[in-house]
Amino acid sequence: MQLNKTIPFPNKTRVAILAELEKERRRLMQNQSMNTPGASISLSRPSLKEFRDNLEQQHIAAQQKAALQHAHAHSSGFFITQDSSFGNLILPVLPRLEPES
């Protein structure tokens, strides 16, 4: 008497099923590591590119803060910090005036 019965699949089908299962397993493991930040601690050092990108973001944030403080101190207008496709660190805000009736 055989306890472990297997369903016969052609070899191509078996390989495709195993590949799909492996892909799904990787996706689930990736989702799990994203949902639990401390679950998989990377022992590798951050890459040089990641380090430079982080440093650049900190520099831009400091420049935005300085530009905003300078604008508020030397102008009577209103300004906001916002990423601009033209590289502006701050943008002026114009009030919307209601038309006189």
Side-chain angles (χ1 to χ4, degrees):
M1 182 173 158
Q2 187 181 15
L3 295 176
N4 200 2
K5 293 183 180 180
T6 59
I7 301 171
F9 284 112
N11 201 23
K12 281 185 176 181
T13 306
R14 182 178 296 157
V15 170
I17 291 171
L18 289 173
E20 186 65 31
L21 286 172
E22 179 64 20
K23 191 166 110 177
E24 183 67 15
R25 184 185 70 82
R26 286 183 184 173
R27 187 186 66 79
L28 288 172
M29 287 182 69
Q30 183 179 12
N31 285 345
Q32 181 183 13
S33 67
M34 289 176 149
N35 292 337
T36 54
S40 60
I41 298 171
S42 175
L43 298 178
S44 64
R45 293 177 22 199
S47 71
L48 185 58
K49 183 186 180 320
E50 290 172 343
F51 179 73
R52 266 191 263 154
D53 290 347
N54 187 17
L55 195 59
E56 184 179 336
Q57 287 299 325
Q58 289 176 358
H59 181 67
I60 289 172
Q63 283 182 322
Q64 274 185 329
K65 185 176 178 183
L68 187 62
Q69 288 174 345
H70 180 78
H72 282 154
H74 295 88
S75 173
S76 60
F78 297 98
F79 298 88
I80 60 169
T81 58
Q82 181 173 338
D83 292 336
S84 164
S85 51
F86 299 105
N88 300 320
L89 298 175
I90 60 172
L91 299 174
V93 178
L94 303 173
R96 188 178 297 178
L97 301 175
E98 297 296 325
E100 293 182 21
S101 5

